[in-house]
Structure formats: C-alpha cells, structure tokens
Amino acid sequence: MSDTLSRLAEVLEQRKQAGAESSYVASLHAKGLNKILEKVGEECTETLLAAKDCQHSEDKSELIYETADLWFHSLVMLSHLGLGPDDVLKELERRFDLSGLAEKASRQK
Ligand SMILES: N=c1c2ncn([C@@H]3O[C@H](COP(=O)(O)OP(=O)(O)OP(=O)(O)O)[C@@H](O)[C@H]3O)c2ncn1[C@@H]1O[C@H](COP(=O)(O)O)[C@@H](O)[C@H]1O
C-alpha cells in the first residue's frame, strides 16, 4: 500500500479514540454514518464540478484538491465500517489483467 495511504489509515484508526472537540475525524465518527455519507456525497459532487470546470484549463489544482477531499472522506467512511484502504487496494490488485469488458460480459451470462 502507498506509504501516504497507510500513514493516513493509521491516523484515522487512532482518531476513533479521540475527543470530538479536538479532532475533525473523531467529530465525524461521533456524528455517525449518515453524516459521513453526507460528506462523501458532498465531496463527490464538488469533485465532479471541479473536473468539468478544469477540462479545458492547464490548471488542474482544484480537481486535485477536491479529489483529495473525496478520498479522505471515503477513507473515514471505510474506517467507520471497520475497513481500510488495503481492502480496496486488494480488490484493485485482484482486477489486474482482467479486462473491464470481459468482466462485464462474464456478469451478463
Ligand atoms: N486529510 C485530511 C483532511 N482533508 C480534509 N479535511 C477536512 O475536511 C473538512 C472538509 O469539509 P468542508 O470543506 O465541507 O468544510 P466544512 O464546511 O468545515 O465542513 P462541515 O462543517 O460542512 O462538515 C475540512 O474541515 C477539512 O479540514 C481533513 N481533515 C483531516 N485530514 C487528515 O486527518 C488527520 C486527522 O485529522 P483530525 O481528526 O482533525 O486531527 C489529519 O492530520 C490529516 O492527515
């Protein structure tokens, strides 16, 4: 797993024990899954808008910023449900060398 993702996952695990007043992540856990999902949805929309806005521009910094927000909140969601980035990376690993079209065809049989 990327060092950044594993370091962040470690911090997110530690924040499950932290106080909501001192940690943004702890405050999300305290508010519960619905609040976390609301944030993921919000960040998803902001990412889509940033992608549309920057498609003809050299400057893609807003898209990078919004995607980081989306990845971060998705990691908080996974952590809340007892999962981590390694679970998703393992699934992506499993898909290596499996054509998306072949996979789709196998599901439609
Ligand atoms: N990577 C992040 C990260 N990315 C974004 N954010 C926060 O996510 C929030 C994004 O929400 P919005 O942009 O919608 O801002 P907002 O209007 O304040 O949010 P709401 O009040 O609507 O919930 C902001 O408060 C950002 O600061 C993050 N907060 C924390 N981290 C990482 O998580 C670690 C633990 O953070 P704490 O739990 O705060 O210590 C940090 O050290 C960082 O590594």
Side-chain angles (χ1 to χ4, degrees):
M1 189 182 0
S2 116
D3 190 44
T4 307
L5 282 181
S6 63
R7 281 173 57 209
L8 182 52
E10 218 170 280
V11 174
L12 296 187
E13 276 315 296
Q14 288 164 2
R15 291 303 193 267
K16 283 182 173 173
Q17 324 298 334
E21 59 299 325
S22 65
S23 154
Y24 174 69
V25 174
S27 78
L28 284 178
H29 287 304
K31 285 173 189 162
L33 183 61
N34 283 355
K35 178 63 186 180
I36 296 170
L37 297 182
E38 190 188 300
K39 292 304 294 179
V40 173
E42 230 177 86
E43 302 304 347
C44 190
T45 304
E46 285 169 14
T47 301
L48 301 186
L49 293 174
K52 287 296 279 182
D53 282 351
C54 80
Q55 64 181 321
H56 302 302
S57 160
E58 285 290 304
D59 182 6
K60 306 274 197 275
S61 54
E62 195 58 26
L63 177 57
I64 293 169
Y65 185 92
E66 295 301 345
T67 304
D69 272 356
L70 175 59
W71 285 19
F72 166 71
H73 284 90
S74 298
L75 289 171
V76 174
M77 173 189 73
L78 290 173
S79 166
H80 193 80
L81 295 171
L83 296 171
D86 49 335
D87 296 297
V88 178
L89 291 173
K90 266 186 222 146
E91 174 60 18
L92 289 174
E93 284 276 343
R94 191 189 65 79
R95 296 180 190 181
F96 267 125
D97 300 326
L98 178 61
S99 144
L101 292 177
E103 185 279 331
K104 188 171 179 159
S106 77
R107 275 190 284 121
Q108 286 167 343
K109 271 180 200 160

